[in-house]
Amino acid sequence: MILLMNWIATCIKLLATKLSLTMLNVWVYHCFVEGYMDQQVKQQIPSVTAVSSGAIASDYQRLRVESVCTRLGLVSLAYLWKEDQVLLLEEMIRRGIVAVIIKVAAMGLNQKHLGRELVDLQSHLLQMNELYGINVCGEGGEYETLTLDCPLFNNARIVLDKFQVVLHSPDSIAPVGIVHPLAFHLEHKIDYPSYRYMENNDFTSEKRGCVFHVKEDLSPNYLKKCNSKDVIFDKFDTIDSAKMSISTCKRGTFSIGCWVPNSTPCEGLQKDLAAVLHSIELQLRKDKLNWSHVLYIHLYISDMKQFGVANDVYMSFITETNCYFGVPSRSTIEIPIAEIGLGNAYVEVLVSTDRCKRVLHVQSISCWAPSCIGPYSQATLHKEVLYMAGQLGLDPPTMLLHPGGPALEMDQALLNCEAVANYFKSSLATSAIGITVYCSASLSSSEAVELQNRMHHFLKYRTSHNEGFLGEYNPISLYVLVPNLPKGALVEVKPVLHLAENGKSEVQSVMLKEPGPTTPIYSGFSYSDWHNRCCQVNVVPGKICMALISGTKDHVGSILSEVDVDLVSIRSGSLQKHLKAIVLFFISLIDKIISENGFSWQDLQSLRFYFSTDLATTADFLFPIFSEAFIDFAESGSNMDATNVPHFNLLPVLASGISAAMNDLITCELFASKLES
């Protein structure tokens, strides 16, 4: 609609100095939306790097523009995306956009409204919105407008002298009529009165007509021609050495973890990641699946400075062509995997055997939430579970980290997560099952604690302002300290939400139950009151169970019935029995958690153990201990099948925990689901 096209141009010019983008004239947008002249425009104006559109709520419009931008290597700008239409209409009128209705096609609008200015119909449009749900900005085709004057018209305004009303459909409920202009003239602006609307918005004459250049990292380069995967693989001899583990929950959704053991840093991230992704691809083919079945990808790399290299390899496998039902969501974290013998790249993918996923992949830069200009999406919804990509504290319209330190980055990251949740008509405060907070090693302990406080206040505020939610509820929270995050961020937030089919929150926080006299005891561990202090458990009854188990030094002391344990000497093997006892304790608590809430080991989709580098050990040492502990537990009379022990991921981190203190030696994270049953 012409009104929105002029308004979006105003917004773009206001923000262009921060984005540094070479702007495409507004008229070109219409050519792009209609799907023609795109190549001609690119050829005639080679400096073009971005296309602006006025999409507000329409995925159809946004996706059409993004598709063309992707094909031509341009950035899509949609600064009105997901903005409140009532406020937008009010602001456009307030800022001096004079527009008349030239077409009507909706209930509550008829020929008497044709030719009238928006300012005169504002209250009527709001009333029709309440009565019939029409879009007050006309995005659904309810009406079209012709802009006669606005702040961008420098010298003159348009004056309609004569027009004819043509009624195409004289329907009594929703007639369709248009205005056919017969005569008009231009009225010269002597004092440029339109600019009075921009006095407080820094829209000066010096900024009009400036040329801005797009930042290199904002270009959608993931469709640029890459080297063939076969060419890459010809250089690698470690592809067959990649090690893989697959979760036991293979009824519908399961996870695959893969890494290259004992690869050295000099062998390179590119080589290891290509080997890992190729191995996963082969496993998917073996199961008669492909990348389109992948819901989520955890990408762990050894050096964030090589993020660009990792992204190039990633994009040679995961493309929109390969993922024709939508690209998976992703989280990329640097962890010290190379130091413990897990290579330079460790990838964990969540796979579904069906394709009933719903992917949100917004590539346009907007004020809504950070864009995903690449083959990964903001969120993936599958069987009532929303897997959200890790969100940094990026300011959406500029795609720059929020200045002011970690606390403000945390606030922005939470707002970004909330914006994505709101798209699905949900909220972190009412629907989050669990939230993982990755903290940069550059944070001080007090700054990390402040992040936890910020999240607590954010969730409390959102809960208090949710009229449909009663009671107090807190998602389980995992804090992980890592060497570096993408873009040099100080914090990254990764939520998992439950979206009930009836729209009502079903997530419940539960406690461990005190066992009865007939409750079996496995591996010598019996229930104690302090177990609840090291556990956080959230369930959606009969559907989902997510839990964290904390293993601090104090907990280890209680497990081993010792005040202090010399964990440094664990490498010598003298404390191997102690580490195995700790793992057995974790397994027994996992068993208690899932069994008490109606789940089984076969329902586990993912099981992660984050262990502190303070343990000063290697993967070759840890994996056998964990595997033996699972087998011992299975053979102790439990319901676990000793021939099919659960898949687990061992992830080395600087620190982790269920609070921002992050003083765990080992933290366990589990996710079980019966939604596939």
Side-chain angles (χ1 to χ4, degrees):
M1 129 184 196
I2 299 175
L3 167 65
L4 292 183
M5 290 306 99
N6 283 310
W7 172 237
I8 191 64
T10 303
C11 293
I12 297 303
K13 286 186 177 290
L14 289 174
L15 292 164
T17 53
K18 293 183 180 180
L19 277 170
S20 300
L21 292 170
T22 300
M23 292 311 307
L24 177 63
N25 290 335
V26 175
W27 68 268
V28 177
Y29 163 78
H30 300 283
C31 302
F32 276 67
V33 169
E34 296 303 322
Y36 59 85
M37 285 181 62
D38 46 10
Q39 289 289 355
Q40 290 91 327
V41 168
K42 184 74 172 175
Q43 292 169 3
Q44 293 179 27
I45 316 176
S47 61
V48 165
T49 54
V51 176
S52 64
S53 66
I56 305 174
S58 171
D59 280 305
Y60 174 75
Q61 288 187 30
R62 175 182 60 80
L63 290 171
R64 289 187 70 183
V65 176
E66 288 179 354
S67 176
V68 175
C69 287
T70 296
R71 187 167 68 250
L72 297 179
L74 302 175
V75 175
S76 171
L77 305 174
Y79 285 106
L80 303 187
W81 176 248
K82 288 301 173 185
E83 293 295 304
D84 186 296
Q85 295 197 31
V86 174
L87 297 179
L88 277 179
L89 179 63
E90 179 181 344
E91 188 171 4
M92 286 186 279
I93 293 172
R94 178 174 60 84
R95 290 181 182 272
I97 295 180
V98 179
V100 294
I101 302 289
I102 59 169
K103 179 182 178 181
V104 292
M107 292 180 65
L109 297 176
N110 53 50
Q111 57 267 36
K112 72 179 182 180
H113 300 116
L114 291 169
R116 296 182 61 183
E117 290 188 15
L118 273 182
V119 65
D120 299 326
L121 295 178
Q122 183 179 6
S123 59
H124 179 73
L125 291 172
L126 295 176
Q127 184 180 10
M128 294 303 99
N129 172 259
E130 292 193 9
L131 289 175
Y132 307 122
I134 73 168
N135 294 304
V136 295
C137 287
E139 190 180 33
E142 293 88 348
Y143 66 89
E144 302 290 343
T145 61
L146 172 63
T147 299
L148 303 180
D149 191 15
C150 75
L152 296 179
F153 290 7
N154 294 349
N155 301 315
R157 64 179 61 85
I158 302 171
V159 178
L160 277 182
D161 298 314
K162 186 178 180 182
F163 62 84
Q164 176 186 5
V165 173
V166 179
L167 203 59
H168 280 294
S169 173
D171 186 84
S172 59
I173 298 177
V176 177
I178 64 169
V179 164
H180 179 57
L182 299 176
F184 69 92
H185 73 276
L186 298 180
E187 183 177 279
H188 185 62
K189 292 182 177 181
I190 300 176
D191 299 322
Y192 303 98
S194 291
Y195 292 128
R196 71 180 184 272
Y197 298 101
M198 309 305 294
E199 288 175 356
N200 299 321
N201 294 280
D202 200 26
F203 189 66
T204 61
S205 58
E206 289 80 5
K207 291 189 177 181
R208 297 193 304 275
C210 291
V211 176
F212 304 96
H213 298 280
V214 67
K215 286 191 174 183
E216 185 177 350
D217 60 350
L218 290 180
S219 300
N221 58 355
Y222 60 97
L223 287 182
K224 291 180 180 178
K225 187 175 181 180
C226 301
N227 292 328
S228 167
K229 284 187 286 184
D230 294 332
V231 174
I232 296 175
F233 293 149
D234 287 342
K235 302 176 183 178
F236 302 151
D237 56 7
T238 61
I239 294 175
D240 294 333
S241 65
K243 189 171 182 180
M244 183 179 302
S245 57
I246 306 173
S247 66
T248 54
C249 181
K250 294 194 67 173
R251 290 193 301 270
T253 306
F254 61 97
S255 60
I256 301 175
C258 190
W259 64 96
V260 177
N262 301 315
S263 174
T264 62
C266 64
E267 290 179 291
L269 174 62
Q270 183 188 55
K271 184 177 181 179
D272 285 0
L273 183 56
V276 166
L277 292 175
H278 181 58
S279 297
I280 293 175
E281 186 172 79
L282 293 178
Q283 181 62 44
L284 291 172
R285 291 177 184 173
K286 182 179 178 181
D287 293 334
K288 298 182 179 180
L289 305 172
N290 54 51
W291 289 111
S292 68
H293 292 86
V294 175
L295 305 174
Y296 201 98
I297 296 180
H298 285 90
L299 176 58
Y300 304 107
I301 58 178
S302 60
D303 185 2
M304 193 58 69
K305 293 178 182 178
Q306 298 188 60
F307 176 83
V309 173
N311 220 31
D312 288 342
V313 176
Y314 181 91
M315 291 186 296
S316 68
F317 287 86
I318 291 87
T319 65
E320 290 186 327
T321 302
N322 293 340
C323 305
Y324 37 86
F325 288 97
V327 290
S329 302
R330 188 182 85 180
S331 176
T332 305
I333 306 296
E334 178 186 330
I335 58 176
I337 45 179
E339 287 89 330
I340 70 158
L342 288 175
N344 298 292
Y346 190 123
V347 177
E348 182 185 351
V349 299
L350 184 65
V351 185
S352 172
T353 55
D354 60 50
R355 291 191 177 117
C356 60
K357 65 179 181 180
R358 179 185 171 192
V359 170
L360 175 63
H361 185 201
V362 179
Q363 301 177 68
S364 299
I365 297 177
S366 69
C367 296
W368 165 72
S371 63
C372 286
I373 307 179
Y376 44 91
S377 60
Q378 282 91 349
T380 301
L381 176 62
H382 180 257
K383 293 187 181 296
E384 301 184 28
V385 181
L386 185 68
Y387 305 95
M388 199 178 295
Q391 285 285 353
L392 305 178
L394 293 172
D395 178 44
T398 64
M399 292 297 288
L400 298 174
L401 287 171
H402 197 294
L408 294 181
E409 273 194 39
M410 181 66 165
D411 292 345
Q412 186 64 59
L414 290 169
L415 286 172
N416 294 340
C417 290
E418 186 72 2
V420 175
N422 290 165
Y423 178 91
F424 293 91
K425 296 179 171 54
S426 186
S427 170
L428 295 184
T430 58
S431 301
I433 309 170
I435 300 177
T436 300
V437 180
Y438 297 106
C439 304
S440 168
S442 60
L443 292 176
S444 66
S445 57
S446 60
E447 287 174 332
V449 171
E450 180 59 22
L451 297 185
Q452 182 175 350
N453 294 335
R454 292 281 179 148
M455 185 164 72
H456 172 75
H457 291 306
F458 178 89
L459 296 174
K460 185 176 181 180
Y461 174 83
R462 294 286 167 170
T463 301
S464 65
H465 286 72
N466 192 306
E467 297 179 357
F469 183 77
L470 301 176
E472 187 173 348
Y473 156 73
N474 290 310
I476 62 176
S477 303
L478 170 65
Y479 294 83
V480 181
L481 189 67
V482 298
N484 289 295
L485 292 168
K487 295 182 178 290
L490 299 174
V491 62
E492 179 174 330
V493 181
K494 180 175 70 75
V496 177
L497 281 67
H498 173 249
L499 305 186
E501 292 181 349
N502 59 9
K504 296 181 179 179
S505 175
E506 300 178 17
V507 184
Q508 301 175 7
S509 297
V510 298
M511 304 281 285
L512 297 177
K513 299 176 183 178
E514 187 172 349
T518 60
T519 303
I521 299 176
Y522 305 122
S523 303
F525 292 102
S526 57
Y527 173 80
S528 180
D529 290 339
W530 68 269
H531 292 175
N532 266 311
R533 295 196 298 272
C534 69
C535 293
Q536 290 184 359
V537 184
N538 276 352
V539 299
V540 178
K543 296 180 179 179
I544 299 167
C545 176
M546 187 173 185
L548 296 175
I549 303 174
S550 169
T552 65
K553 195 171 183 180
D554 289 339
H555 297 152
V556 169
S558 298
I559 295 169
L560 303 177
S561 301
E562 297 176 8
V563 177
D564 192 16
V565 177
D566 183 13
L567 293 168
V568 177
S569 63
I570 199 170
R571 275 191 168 187
S572 65
S574 60
L575 288 182
Q576 180 172 342
K577 60 180 180 180
H578 295 300
L579 182 57
K580 188 174 180 180
I582 296 169
V583 177
L584 280 169
F585 170 78
F586 273 85
I587 296 173
S588 65
L589 272 191
I590 295 171
D591 185 78
K592 181 175 177 62
I593 290 169
I594 60 178
S595 61
E596 285 183 354
N597 292 286
F599 294 84
S600 70
W601 287 97
Q602 294 299 311
D603 296 321
L604 280 181
Q605 285 186 7
S606 64
L607 181 61
R608 301 186 189 98
F609 291 94
Y610 302 86
F611 64 92
S612 170
T613 49
D614 288 345
L615 287 176
T617 186
T618 65
D620 286 343
F621 180 81
L622 288 175
F623 270 104
I625 291 178
F626 274 76
S627 298
E628 290 172 12
F630 273 104
I631 293 173
D632 287 355
F633 183 82
E635 293 176 346
S636 66
S638 69
N639 294 321
M640 186 191 298
D641 184 359
T643 63
N644 193 19
V645 295
H647 151 72
F648 56 88
N649 287 294
L650 295 180
L651 301 176
V653 294
L654 301 182
S656 62
I658 58 178
S659 74
M662 293 181 282
N663 55 358
D664 286 7
L665 293 170
I666 300 177
T667 308
C668 175
E669 177 190 13
L670 69 91
F671 189 94
S673 173
K674 283 185 173 292
L675 291 171
E676 313 295 340
S677 300

